Structure formats: C-alpha cells, structure tokens
C-alpha cells in the first residue's frame, strides 16, 4: 500500500496531457470513445489518481461527485458518487477503492454530523457490488433485507436527475446503449453464479450482459464505518472486488 501515492484534484484541473494519461489507463478496459470519456469529467467534481510511488506510473483513477438531494420536502440528503473508476489489475486487492470510499465517508460525516450521508454508484459489473457486500453492513439492494423507503426514493431521485431517459424504475437500473466494458474479468460466467452475491446482482440487473448498470446505495453511517474498520484491522476485507465500471 505504501508504494502507491494518491492525489485528489478538481476535475477542472485536468489538463489535456493528464486526460490522455488517464485515458491510456481507463480505455484499455472500456469501449467508451475518448470524446465521451473526456466529456464525463465535466459532470464530476473531483478525481483521485493513484500512482506507483517509485516510477510515477498511473495505476488507478476514481471520479467523484457530490450532491444534496431534497426529496419530498425532507432535509437534504448529502450524496457521494464514484464513476470513471478503474484500477490496474496488478494493483487490485490493495483496497484502493474501499479506502477512498472510507476517506470521503469520514469527510462527509464531519461536514454533516447530524445527517445521514449516502454513497452511490452505477455498477456496470458485479464487482462494485462485491465491494459493498464484502465490506459493509448496510447496502442496497441487499439479498436478505428489503430496501428502506428513503433509499427507494433516493434512487428514484438519482434516476430523474442523472438518467432521465435511461433509468428503469421497475428494476432501478440504468439502460446503456452498448456495453462499455471490454474487461473480460467482469463478465459473469456460469461458475460465478455459485456466489450468492453475484447471483443476486444478476437477478437485480437483468440487462447486465448488455452493459446496463445497477444503482447501488449505502448509508455512510457509523455502523458501516465501524464495520469496515473492524474488518480492515482484522485483515478481513475481501480482495475479490476488482472494480471496473
């Protein structure tokens, strides 16, 4: 972990040369066009870049977005979103995504100590789902628990704001015009379905083979932070969630 250096900067600070460097990493596992990839940074607030400390080589990237939702006249629901995420296969299993989530979770809790903040993402593959299932206590959809009404309302608000033409309200998935992933390691094989979390993801996202995304939401609460930190200390966080999507 100490061989990796993380840097967070505003998306507005991404110079053309840096954008091309990020694209050289991200584009190797995605079918998205360079122009569309570049345009997406304009919708995000921050980017977290991971570099090999000795060589300076870029080995990972995470795009971050913040927004406070007002639903039905309730108090604001602060949210944190991750997109444009990719970690070089050689550097997976080092908890880069999970540690970054924890970092932003703690920052959000400090800014809103009396409110519940929520993390969400549009999971194009089952692996982001495994990140939640293997490392958090509360996340939705959950194979053993009904999704609370406030989470359902938040998902509907996310769909209306960010995916007005492609959000599928019945499944709470996002329809994609094509499969954006070319990384074969994220494709669900028959043997993968023996894992109940992968099986549940496939059931919740019937269009996963076509590249559709499943909205994942978890409350950034003390219960989740405590659960994750305990697993981290015990050396139990799972490394099977090689995030792409």
């Amino acid at each position: 972990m100490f061989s990796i250096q993380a840097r967070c900067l505003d998306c507005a600070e991404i110079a053309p040369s840096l954008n091309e460097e990020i694209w050289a990493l991200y584009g190797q596992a995605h079918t998205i066009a360079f122009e569309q990839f570049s345009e997406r940074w304009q919708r995000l607030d921050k980017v977290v870049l991971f570099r090999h400390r000795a060589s300076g080589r870029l080995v990972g990237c995470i795009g971050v977005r913040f927004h406070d939702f007002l639903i039905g006249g309730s108090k604001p629901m602060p949210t944190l979103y991750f997109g444009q995420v990719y970690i070089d296969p050689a550097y997976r299993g080092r908890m880069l995504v999970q540690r970054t989530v924890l970092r932003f979770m703690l920052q959000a809790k400090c800014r809103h100590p009396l409110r519940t903040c929520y993390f969400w993402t549009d999971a194009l593959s089952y692996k982001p789902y495994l990140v939640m299932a293997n490392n958090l206590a509360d996340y939705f959809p959950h194979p053993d628990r009904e999704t609370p009404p406030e989470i359902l309302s938040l998902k509907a608000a996310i769909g209306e704001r960010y995916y007005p033409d492609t959000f599928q309200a019945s499944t709470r998935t996002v329809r994609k015009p094509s499969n954006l992933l070319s990384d074969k390691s994220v494709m669900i094989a028959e043997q993968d379905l023996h894992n109940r979390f992968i099986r549940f993801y496939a059931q919740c996202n019937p269009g996963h083979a076509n590249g559709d995304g499943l909205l994942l939401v978890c409350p950034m609460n003390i219960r989740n932070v405590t659960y994750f930190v305990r697993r981290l200390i015990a050396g139990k966080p799972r490394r099977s969630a090689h995030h792409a999507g």
Side-chain angles (χ1 to χ4, degrees), residues 18 50 56 61 70 98 119 127 139 169 179 188 201 211 222 227 234 236:
L18 178 58
F50 301 98
C61 60
L70 292 172
Q98 294 93 320
F119 169 81
K127 296 200 173 184
Y139 58 91
N179 196 327
I188 297 179
Y201 170 87
I222 296 300
Y227 186 89
K236 294 181 180 179

Side-chain angles (χ1 to χ4, degrees), residues 9 21 28 30 36 55 86 97 123-124 140 156-157 197 211 217-218 223 228 232 235 237:
L9 66 157
E21 184 183 14
Q28 64 185 336
H30 298 79
Q36 185 181 3
S55 67
Y86 186 69
V97 175
L124 303 184
F140 301 97
F197 296 118
V217 175
C218 74
R223 173 177 158 88
F228 176 78
L232 190 64

Side-chain angles (χ1 to χ4, degrees), residues 20 56 64 95 97 116 121 130 148 155 169 174 177 182 189 191 200 210:
E20 292 178 2
V64 186
M95 306 296 291
V97 175
T116 299
T121 193
L130 286 185
K155 287 189 176 186
V174 180
S182 59
Q191 61 268 24
F200 183 70
N210 299 321

Side-chain angles (χ1 to χ4, degrees), residues 30-184:
H30 298 79
T31 62
I32 185 174
F34 175 73
E35 293 75 14
Q36 185 181 3
F37 165 83
S38 301
E39 187 272 334
R40 283 187 173 190
W41 291 122
Q42 300 175 22
R43 311 178 201 170
L44 302 174
D45 300 310
K46 301 282 186 180
V47 58
V48 180
L49 301 177
F50 301 98
R51 294 185 182 277
H52 184 263
R53 191 178 296 272
S55 67
R57 185 169 70 89
L58 186 67
V59 299
C61 60
I62 299 175
V64 186
R65 178 195 289 137
F66 310 96
H67 184 73
D68 290 357
F69 283 91
L70 292 172
I71 301 175
S74 64
K75 294 181 179 179
M77 299 177 70
T79 64
L80 166 69
Y81 162 83
F82 277 13
Q84 305 263 91
V85 178
Y86 186 69
I87 305 298
D88 185 295
Y91 295 88
R92 295 170 181 174
R94 301 194 182 198
M95 306 296 291
L96 298 180
V97 175
Q98 294 93 320
R99 291 171 187 267
T100 304
V101 171
L102 180 61
R103 167 187 171 182
F104 281 105
M105 285 175 70
L106 293 174
Q107 289 179 359
K109 196 61 181 176
C110 290
R111 290 195 304 269
H112 306 284
L114 301 180
R115 298 178 189 170
T116 299
C117 304
Y118 298 88
F119 169 81
W120 71 277
T121 193
D122 172 20
L124 303 184
S125 80
Y126 69 87
K127 296 200 173 184
Y129 186 72
L130 286 185
V131 172
M132 289 191 178
N134 289 330
N135 297 292
L136 299 175
D138 299 327
Y139 58 91
F140 301 97
H142 194 291
D144 303 319
R145 296 159 56 189
E146 292 292 330
T147 302
E150 65 270 19
I151 302 294
L152 295 177
S153 297
L154 177 57
K155 287 189 176 186
I158 290 171
E160 180 179 358
R161 177 178 177 84
Y162 294 113
Y163 311 101
D165 301 321
T166 56
F167 180 65
Q168 309 299 295
S170 60
T171 56
R172 300 174 187 88
T173 59
V174 180
R175 188 181 66 252
K176 306 294 181 181
S178 62
N179 196 327
L180 300 178
L181 300 177
S182 59
D183 184 354
K184 295 188 182 302

